[in-house]
């Protein structure tokens, strides 16, 4: 979006003299659009498919196996979460009192961070794999200090790198008692040791999710399940910090108990996330795996599934062949059943409407196919979100939406525009029909503060377990928040750059430095920005250095006609393919805003035209059907609804939805007081 100083020079009619031929890009390759009949791609890996519904799919990892090429290849291809299988347990991390050894776990965590895989920490307090110097303690105060020091030291070491911790593991007894099992913790500290562990953990790393993890708690009516349920209910009622419950799910050949989904949803109803944390099933029957995945998919607070190892030979119960890959690393039938249950089975071709059964996922050639069509058509909602001025916020327009779907809700961030300038607003709702009635939280009341802040972009930076809000302040700025739903949780602005990079200073002319956009692949993060002067810039840093170290700023795309490559650039990864999509807002020959699009095989470009002209636009009034009354003729600064919510900015290849700003076609006057509203485009020519 353009800054507060901009006047009405870009509003309707001001550019009526531009011709379509003036839109030919100079720095952007103008290639013919790919054939529209190319087969659309579904996600072909467990992690990508789970991400489509905002979930993760993880595995236990053993540091000693990372050098095994087959193991590492499957790990990086299929999984977006890892749990160190043994390396974070007490007998490895603190074998003797006060002497910590993080090397084996660091190997796993550092490797995962570099690949944007999230990490579950397993485990802080457990009666097993506990060194004898702890299990032989006899003094309660000593044990209390020892436990507290262990939790604090380990969590501090992994702060920002481990998203969720199994704070206490397997504290409940098997059988019919529903009580805690005996252990040194239980015996010396009593029932309160679990609460104490969770309170210590919250203090040590307030951003980490804190889980209780156990086995044989999948069947709702079991006494053990009921015992854990009562504990979680009690914790929630008394405000003891707990965020999640892990169901290990080590199943026999029959798979999960019939009531597993009921158990998951009953726990979720207490206000915790639920996760399947150590899944393996004797002989890996396809139905048993599919039923387990389905139980999670059917519970919105079931946030992810972790299998307890990659190949059968990697399993702690290898004699039972309980995993998804055979000893040679081939996908077993249970793999395909799981992928299907996660939603990733059907491959549809655009030539016919018939569905054929999916070939083995590894037989698909995702990288060579074009995931998106070469032309688009859309239907628009009406104006769904309008400003909600209050006594201290006299807002004229709501603009520049950024949106993620997370935890069952849409979280929308936007600019607020008024004669006195710009700031940010946040609203959330579970359905677009409720968007208009959602509460507007003005973010100038958070540490983001007052003053010029505009054009937000939100995403979850998985390697750090933190939400980022990127926005323009004159520099490229950001704030972070451990909880996207807490509008007061954002940190004060920090800048990505010490000052405007030289190359921008040299090319910006009479433009403005606007619309900062971050996207990461597994190795690097890229920061794109526009100058309202025909240039799209790109800087780069590594995933491990982010948010620091942005450098190597280059012109990623340019056009001699500044209006043809104006502002509001978005870059996304297209799910299940090697394609990246770039859309950039342009000003058409009719003076109206619209979007052009390009694709590339990597974030470094080069960008090939996809739907990039006024007659074949990505989104423009001429390829959008509006409700009666056509509330806008401009399709301006917006954002795609993503398949996930992390820093990879992955969008589905099908049925795209674009949240955008539009305005009454008759509006005129000062650019800052134009009555922008937000609506949603839904793709109507999706081939899948
Ligand atoms: O898979 C782990 C195996 O390598 C270890 O020898 C074993 C030692 O107790 O722990 C296994 O993992 C366990 C996990 O930490 C907690 N739940 C049960 C898992 C299987 O025993």
């Amino acid at each position: 979006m353009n800054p507060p100083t901009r006047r009405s020079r870009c509003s309707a009619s001001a550019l009526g003299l531009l011709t379509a031929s003036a839109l030919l890009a100079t720095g952007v390759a103008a290639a013919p659009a790919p054939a529209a009949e190319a087969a659309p791609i579904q996600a072909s890996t467990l992690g990508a498919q789970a991400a489509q519904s905002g979930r993760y799919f993880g595995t236990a990892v053993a540091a000693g196996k990372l050098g095994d090429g087959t193991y590492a290849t499957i790990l990086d291809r299929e999984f977006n979460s890892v749990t160190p299988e043994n390396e974070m347990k007490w007998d490895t991390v603190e074998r003797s009192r006060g002497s910590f050894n993080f090397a084996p776990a660091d190997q796993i965590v550092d490797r995962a961070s570099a690949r944007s895989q999230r990490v579950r920490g397993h485990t802080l307090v457990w009666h097993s794999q506990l060194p004898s110097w702890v299990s032989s303690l006899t003094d309660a105060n000593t044990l209390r200090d020892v436990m507290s020091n262990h939790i604090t030291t380990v969590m501090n070491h992994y702060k920002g790198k481990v998203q969720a911790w199994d704070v206490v593991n397997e504290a409940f007894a098997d059988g019919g008692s529903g009580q805690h099992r005996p252990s040194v913790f239980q015996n010396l500290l009593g029932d309160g040791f679990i609460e104490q562990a969770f309170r210590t953990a919250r203090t040590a790393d307030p951003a980490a999710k804190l889980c209780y993890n156990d086995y044989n708690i999948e069947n709702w009516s079991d006494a053990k399940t009921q015992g854990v349920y009562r504990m979680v209910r009690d914790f929630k009622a008394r405000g003891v910090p707990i965020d999640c419950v892990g169901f290990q799910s080590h199943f026999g050949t029959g798979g999960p108990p019939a009531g597993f989904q009921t158990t998951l949803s009953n726990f979720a109803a207490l206000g915790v996330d639920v996760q399947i944390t150590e899944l393996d099933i004797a002989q890996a029957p396809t139905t048993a795996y599919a039923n387990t995945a389905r139980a999670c998919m059917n519970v919105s607070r079931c946030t992810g599934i972790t299998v307890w190892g990659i190949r059968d030979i990697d399993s702690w119960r290898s004699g039972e062949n309980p995993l998804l890959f055979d000893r040679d690393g081939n996908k077993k039938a249970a793999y395909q059943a799981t992928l299907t249950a996660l939603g990733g089975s059907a491959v549809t071709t655009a030539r016919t409407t018939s569905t054929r059964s999916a070939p083995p996922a590894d037989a698909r050639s995702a990288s060579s196919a074009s995931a998106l069509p070469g032309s688009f058509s859309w239907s628009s909602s009406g104006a769904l979100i309008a400003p909600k001025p209050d006594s201290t916020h006299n807002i004229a327009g709501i603009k520049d939406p950024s949106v993620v779907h997370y935890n069952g809700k849409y979280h929308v961030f936007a600019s607020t525009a008024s004669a006195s300038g710009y700031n940010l607003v946040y609203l959330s709702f579970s359905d677009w029909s409720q968007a208009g009635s959602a509460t507007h939280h003005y973010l100038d009341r958070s540490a983001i503060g007052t003053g010029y802040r505009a054009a937000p972009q939100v995403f979850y930076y998985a390697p750090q377990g933190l939400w980022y809000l990127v926005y323009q302040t004159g520099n490229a700025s950001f704030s972070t928040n451990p909880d996207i739903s807490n509008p007061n949780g954002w940190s004060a602005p920090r800048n990505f750059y010490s000052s405007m990079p030289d190359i921008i200073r040299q090319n910006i002319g009479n433009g403005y430095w606007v619309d900062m956009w971050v996207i990461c692949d597994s190795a690097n993060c890229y920061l794109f920005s526009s100058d309202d002067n025909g240039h799209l810039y790109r800087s780069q840093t590594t995933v491990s250095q982010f948010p620091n170290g942005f450098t190597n700023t280059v012109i990623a795309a340019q056009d001699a006609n500044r209006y043809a490559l104006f502002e509001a650039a978005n870059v996304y990864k297209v799910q299940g393919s090697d394609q990246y999509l770039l859309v950039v807002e342009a000003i058409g020959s009719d003076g109206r805003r619209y979007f052009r699009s390009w694709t590339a095989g990597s974030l470094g470009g080069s960008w090939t035209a996809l739907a990039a002209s006024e007659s074949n636009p990505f989104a423009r009034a001429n390829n959008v059907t509006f409700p009666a009354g056509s509330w806008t003729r401009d399709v301006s600064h917006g954002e795609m609804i993503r398949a996930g919510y992390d820093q990879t900015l992955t969008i589905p290849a099908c049925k795209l939805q674009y949240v955008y700003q539009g305005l009454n076609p008759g509006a005129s006057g000062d650019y800052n007081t134009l009555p922008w509203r937000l609506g949603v485009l839904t793709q109507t020519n999706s081939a899948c």
Side-chain angles (χ1 to χ4, degrees):
M1 71 149 285
N2 24 52
T5 48
R6 173 176 295 285
R7 295 296 166 196
S8 59
R9 65 185 165 83
C10 295
S11 61
S13 83
L15 297 161
L17 295 179
L18 277 179
T19 62
S21 61
L23 298 177
L24 284 178
T26 55
V28 181
E37 67 269 19
I41 308 294
Q42 296 277 344
S44 58
T45 65
L46 298 165
Q49 191 57 50
Q52 216 160 32
S53 64
R55 294 176 172 80
Y56 64 83
F57 203 100
T59 180
V61 165
K65 300 198 172 183
L66 292 171
D68 174 334
T70 308
Y71 183 89
T73 301
I74 302 172
L75 169 60
D76 294 341
R77 187 187 69 214
E78 298 288 342
F79 300 99
N80 50 19
S81 174
V82 301
T83 307
E85 187 173 359
N86 289 299
E87 293 75 357
M88 286 181 171
K89 292 173 182 174
W90 201 314
D91 63 354
T92 299
V93 167
E94 195 187 5
R95 180 170 282 282
S96 57
R97 186 169 176 180
S99 159
F100 287 85
N101 169 25
F102 293 116
D106 281 355
Q107 229 188 307
I108 297 175
V109 172
D110 292 346
R111 190 179 184 286
S113 297
R115 289 163 175 76
S116 300
Q117 293 159 327
R118 70 171 72 199
V119 182
R120 292 194 85 259
H122 176 81
T123 173
L124 295 166
V125 178
W126 187 26
H127 66 274
S128 183
Q129 290 178 277
L130 187 65
S132 56
W133 70 266
V134 183
S135 53
S136 58
L137 289 173
T138 53
D139 176 58
N141 285 335
T142 307
L143 179 60
R144 206 171 283 122
D145 288 351
V146 159
M147 184 176 86
S148 165
N149 183 55
H150 181 78
I151 293 172
T152 306
T153 308
V154 179
M155 288 186 79
N156 269 336
H157 183 80
Y158 290 110
K159 212 176 252 188
K161 295 179 174 173
V162 167
Q163 286 75 50
W165 279 100
D166 290 333
V167 178
V168 175
N169 193 41
E170 301 176 7
F172 278 73
D174 293 314
S177 74
Q179 302 298 312
H180 295 178
R181 72 168 68 238
S183 71
V184 68
F185 303 106
Q186 179 70 28
N187 301 349
L188 293 188
L189 305 178
D191 281 347
F193 88 88
I194 304 181
E195 172 171 350
Q196 199 182 319
F198 274 83
R199 289 194 188 279
T200 307
R202 180 66 96 225
T203 304
D205 183 358
K209 297 289 184 198
L210 308 181
C211 308
Y212 176 78
N213 191 55
D214 214 329
Y215 65 91
N216 281 355
I217 57 168
E218 293 83 11
N219 188 15
W220 176 239
S221 58
D222 283 356
K224 192 173 174 184
T225 310
Q226 290 298 309
V228 175
Y229 180 81
R230 280 193 299 273
M231 176 189 76
V232 177
R233 190 175 57 191
D234 169 57
F235 278 17
K236 295 303 282 186
R238 293 189 298 113
V240 180
I242 183 166
D243 306 304
C244 34
V245 176
F247 298 79
Q248 292 185 8
S249 307
H250 295 293
F251 294 133
T253 46
F260 186 30
Q261 188 179 311
T262 305
T263 305
L264 294 176
S265 53
N266 286 350
F267 273 85
L270 293 175
V272 287
D273 287 342
V274 293
Q275 294 157 357
I276 294 173
T277 50
E278 302 181 12
L279 179 62
D280 48 23
I281 310 181
Q283 309 312 336
T286 52
T287 317
Y289 261 103
N291 287 345
T292 307
R294 249 182 246 124
C296 181
M297 293 298 288
N298 289 341
V299 175
S300 63
R301 285 198 79 152
C302 183
T303 54
I305 299 175
T306 298
V307 286
W308 205 240
I310 298 178
R311 301 161 301 190
D312 286 332
I313 42 165
D314 305 319
S315 171
W316 68 297
R317 48 198 295 215
S318 57
E320 295 174 285
N321 298 320
L323 294 174
L324 299 177
F325 295 86
D326 70 17
R327 57 180 310 113
D328 298 319
N330 300 310
K331 292 167 184 170
K332 294 164 58 177
Y335 171 97
Q336 191 59 42
T338 304
L339 190 65
T340 304
L342 294 171
S345 65
V347 173
T348 320
T349 64
R351 285 177 221 276
T352 72
T353 52
S354 70
T355 310
R356 59 190 160 88
S357 62
D362 54 358
R364 293 180 207 159
S365 169
S367 54
S368 58
S370 167
L372 295 171
S375 64
F376 294 84
S377 55
W378 310 86
S379 93
S380 177
S381 69
L384 299 177
I385 300 175
K388 289 192 177 169
D390 66 14
S391 56
T392 52
H393 297 84
N394 181 21
I395 312 285
I398 184 160
K399 310 189 58 178
D400 315 324
S402 180
V403 58
V404 286
H405 191 248
Y406 171 73
N407 246 347
K409 284 194 162 174
Y410 292 100
H411 300 263
V412 174
F413 296 79
S415 308
T416 54
S418 69
S420 60
Y422 290 78
N423 206 279
L424 304 174
V425 68
Y426 162 72
L427 52 152
S428 68
F429 43 85
S430 48
D431 191 279
W432 286 98
S433 63
Q434 299 158 1
S437 53
T439 303
H440 287 204
H441 300 275
Y442 293 107
L443 297 183
D444 59 2
R445 295 185 175 129
S446 74
I448 287 175
T450 55
Y452 173 46
R453 286 105 176 82
Q457 183 212 9
V458 70
F459 59 87
Y460 180 73
Y461 194 66
Q464 294 166 4
L466 269 183
W467 292 94
Y468 273 74
L469 195 63
V470 173
Y471 48 92
Q472 68 196 45
T473 54
N475 200 319
S477 302
F478 67 93
S479 296
T480 61
N481 189 343
D483 177 3
I484 190 174
S485 65
N486 176 13
N488 298 317
W490 293 102
S491 61
R494 281 173 54 196
N495 292 339
F496 285 113
Y497 304 98
S498 53
S499 60
M500 184 188 283
D502 286 345
I503 190 167
I504 304 182
R505 195 179 303 285
Q506 288 152 11
N507 288 280
I508 193 167
N510 292 327
Y512 301 96
W513 191 24
V514 295
D515 298 333
M516 288 72 188
W517 181 270
V518 169
I519 178 172
C520 310
D521 58 24
S522 56
N524 296 306
C525 291
Y526 300 83
L527 174 43
F528 289 87
S529 59
S530 295
D531 67 0
D532 281 0
N533 195 34
H535 304 102
L536 176 69
Y537 301 99
R538 186 189 70 235
S539 309
Q540 183 172 336
T541 189
T542 61
V543 162
S544 52
Q545 274 184 291
F546 178 84
N548 302 311
F550 273 110
T551 182
N552 289 340
T553 307
V554 296
I555 295 178
Q558 62 184 318
D559 198 299
N561 168 15
R562 60 189 301 209
Y563 300 119
L565 200 79
F566 200 59
E567 57 185 9
N570 300 176
V571 185
Y572 303 98
K573 175 79 187 343
V574 182
Q575 191 164 45
S577 80
D578 284 349
Q579 245 184 15
Y580 290 89
L581 172 70
L582 164 68
V583 302
V584 183
E585 183 173 348
I587 303 175
S589 51
D590 56 358
R592 299 293 181 181
R593 302 298 183 112
Y594 76 105
F595 279 92
R596 308 172 66 205
S597 61
W598 295 262
T599 60
S602 71
L603 286 166
S606 59
W607 296 100
T608 300
L610 181 66
S613 65
E614 285 200 61
S615 57
N616 181 28
F618 179 72
R620 184 172 182 260
N622 59 339
N623 69 346
V624 177
T625 310
F626 292 96
S630 292
W631 66 279
T632 177
R633 301 302 291 164
D634 289 271
V635 179
S636 182
H637 194 134
E639 209 179 280
M640 209 80 80
I641 299 181
R642 302 169 214 162
Y645 47 83
D646 69 10
Q647 73 283 350
T648 63
L649 307 189
T650 305
I651 56 166
C654 304
K655 300 191 183 74
L656 299 179
Q657 287 201 293
Y658 195 72
V659 185
Y660 73 105
Q661 62 178 33
L663 90 169
N664 179 343
S668 62
D670 177 7
Y671 185 80
N672 299 337
T673 58
L674 290 174
W676 293 98
R677 305 285 181 262
L678 305 182
V680 182
L681 300 179
T682 300
Q683 189 189 358
T684 52
N685 71 326
S686 180
C688 45

